Amino acid sequence: MNFPYSRRIANLQPSDIRLMTRECERVGGINLGQGLGDLPTPPSVKEGAIQAIRAGYNTYTPSEGIPGLRYCVAEKLRRDNGLDVDPDKQIVISSGTTGAFASALTALLNPGDGILLMEPYYAYHLNTILLSELEPQFLTLTAPEFALDEVNLRAAIRPNTRAMVVCTPSNPSGKMFSRDELNIIDRVAEENNLLIISDEIYEYITYDGRKHISPASVGQLGRRTVSIMGFSKTFSITGWRLGYAVAEPALASAINLVNDLLYVCAPSPLQHGVAAGLKAAPEYFQTLRTAYQRKRDILCDGLADAGLTPLVPQGAYYVLANISHLGLPDAKTAAMHVLERTGIACIPGSAFYRGSEGENLVRFCFAKEDAILLEAVTRLRKLR
Ligand code: PLP
């Protein structure tokens, strides 16, 4: 049988992240490429899920999630994000942040609509945009500051631009948007009636005392923003597939309709597990920050020693490093060279850009046990 493929997948490329994972396995290396986040899960989260399974919470839940979790999320949004929302009308628990993002695009935008993405971008954002038959439009933020400039933002808006993605803290750059930058987005979004989709999955992984600012809490952005957040990174449960969208009731209701059709509901016992985790003492979040800052510093110091200049991140758990001194033609060749010489896998910077800006960058992930990171930096120093 000869089936034609859907034109929706015609422009999708398998990511270099998977390629590097395969190559890393081939050489038995240390994988600092993929953002697996394999640190321990808090016992309260695991126990909460185990008890829920034992108690028989194994069937479908409401598509928007169990009330117990939505109420905990509303409390957390008030405490940590400065957002006051109705847990019955404004929160949709989904199959990961990824599911919340896909549901929002499908529910709120039409094929052919333009959606602005800032480079360097998270490839899933781009690919989900393509899969949804939207038109990706780009604004390149320049290293090392990745600052947002109002003139450039205005210039990037096209007649069909309907939405904009803001990823803060960002994967891969670790950039955190400042209040001034979010005020720029507020002004430009008001003038152009843009929907803002903010991916805040790394909201608790921030460094040097920097405070995460939720776009929806700034100016008038709350009424036009879908805040997408999740538990994968906060509780090291990337395989549980739990995230959520927060928006004005009419937007949340449309997102929930699609969420129901695509996923039915998020995994029932696991929703109970993260609800237990959210009730844990707020000190947990400080411990998380401290641990990741130590990991960031181990890796960045090691990269600097190895001559791979790190662009030290403000948040999230990745670092872009400049590999131009290796004198290799492109980022993929450089990533393969680093893997062959040291047994450390990283991701070519080209995975995060359309054009050539990423060719002198590679990305390392430091969501790893300290001992593994220390071994990794010892090996990286061989590049010197
Ligand atoms: N958003 C960003 C920016 C990410 O880096 C990732 C994972 O790497 C995700 C979303 C995926 O989140 P989830 O596991 O909640 O689907």
Side-chain angles (χ1 to χ4, degrees):
M1 294 245 255
N2 188 14
F3 286 110
Y5 294 108
S6 153
R7 71 187 150 76
R8 283 191 296 268
I9 67 164
N11 296 321
L12 302 187
Q13 297 294 335
S15 127
D16 279 343
I17 297 184
R18 297 217 181 278
L19 166 84
M20 290 309 296
T21 296
R22 248 194 340 267
E23 289 299 308
C24 184
E25 280 164 8
R26 184 179 59 80
V27 302
I30 298 178
N31 192 353
L32 300 190
Q34 205 167 5
L36 290 174
D38 48 8
L39 295 176
T41 300
S44 60
V45 175
K46 290 195 282 196
E47 277 310 312
I50 291 165
Q51 280 173 23
I53 291 172
R54 293 217 168 98
Y57 292 113
N58 298 310
T59 57
Y60 298 134
T61 75
S63 55
E64 67 274 23
I66 58 169
L69 176 54
R70 281 184 281 111
Y71 279 71
C72 286
V73 167
E75 180 51 38
K76 165 263 176 207
L77 290 169
R78 216 182 335 270
R79 184 189 67 201
D80 297 341
N81 304 90
L83 300 176
D84 196 2
V85 309
D86 180 344
D88 290 324
K89 298 200 175 118
Q90 294 188 254
I91 297 172
V92 180
I93 310 291
S94 187
S95 178
T97 309
T98 308
F101 185 71
S103 299
L105 295 190
T106 307
L108 305 177
L109 296 165
N110 287 308
D113 283 351
I115 178 165
L116 195 59
L117 197 54
M118 285 182 259
E119 287 189 302
Y121 50 72
Y122 168 57
Y124 267 67
H125 287 158
L126 175 59
N127 282 337
T128 311
I129 285 168
L130 292 170
L131 199 57
S132 310
E133 299 188 79
L134 303 172
E135 181 187 315
Q137 298 166 342
F138 299 92
L139 171 63
T140 307
L141 303 184
T142 309
E145 298 298 329
F146 301 103
L148 178 69
D149 175 83
E150 185 158 358
V151 174
N152 291 345
L153 174 57
R154 284 178 196 286
I157 307 277
R158 303 270 171 271
N160 70 336
T161 309
R162 299 277 172 271
M164 174 175 179
V165 179
V166 180
C167 187
T168 183
S170 150
N171 171 9
S173 68
K175 176 194 170 57
M176 292 174 63
F177 283 78
S178 68
R179 190 166 293 279
D180 285 349
E181 290 174 314
L182 294 173
N183 279 324
I184 293 176
I185 293 173
D186 184 23
R187 278 197 292 280
V188 175
E190 275 296 312
E191 282 164 28
N192 294 277
N193 193 24
L194 300 181
L195 173 77
I196 303 297
I197 304 183
S198 68
D199 182 335
E200 300 171 52
I201 190 164
Y202 297 103
E203 61 179 320
Y204 290 112
I205 305 180
T206 62
Y207 307 122
D208 308 316
R210 261 192 203 83
K211 222 180 135 13
H212 169 69
I213 307 174
S214 282
S217 70
V218 173
Q220 307 192 70
L221 280 173
R223 59 185 191 174
R224 56 175 68 258
T225 297
V226 181
S227 312
I228 307 262
M229 298 165 177
F231 305 104
S232 285
K233 315 290 174 173
T234 308
F235 294 138
S236 301
I237 47 168
T238 51
W240 283 27
R241 314 307 311 124
L242 277 170
Y244 53 96
V246 183
E248 282 295 291
L251 302 183
S253 162
I255 293 169
N256 186 32
L257 182 66
V258 176
N259 190 54
D260 184 1
L261 293 175
L262 291 180
Y263 311 107
V264 182
C265 65
S268 169
L270 307 187
Q271 292 188 52
H272 289 270
V274 292
L278 282 179
K279 285 181 198 138
E283 295 84 73
Y284 169 75
F285 300 104
Q286 189 48 46
T287 315
L288 190 75
R289 277 187 199 96
T290 311
Y292 275 115
Q293 182 154 330
R294 189 178 62 243
K295 293 173 193 305
R296 177 196 69 166
D297 293 344
I298 293 172
L299 185 58
C300 287
D301 291 351
L303 289 169
D305 286 351
L308 302 178
T309 314
L311 305 180
V312 180
Q314 300 174 334
Y317 53 47
Y318 308 92
V319 53
L320 290 170
N322 193 309
I323 35 94
S324 20
H325 104 276
L326 295 176
L328 295 164
D330 57 41
K332 208 161 174 169
T333 314
M336 288 307 296
H337 171 84
V338 172
L339 181 63
E340 300 293 342
R341 284 278 309 276
T342 67
I344 306 297
C346 57
I347 306 296
S350 44
F352 313 109
Y353 291 88
R354 286 157 310 159
S356 59
E357 291 91 342
E359 295 299 355
N360 55 11
L361 296 171
V362 292
R363 188 199 75 179
F364 294 87
C365 169
F366 49 87
K368 295 279 170 198
E369 297 291 355
D370 289 6
I372 295 177
L373 290 174
L374 289 165
E375 168 63 18
V377 297
T378 305
R379 294 201 200 175
L380 284 168
R381 287 198 179 93
K382 289 185 208 152
L383 289 169
R384 233 334 186 210

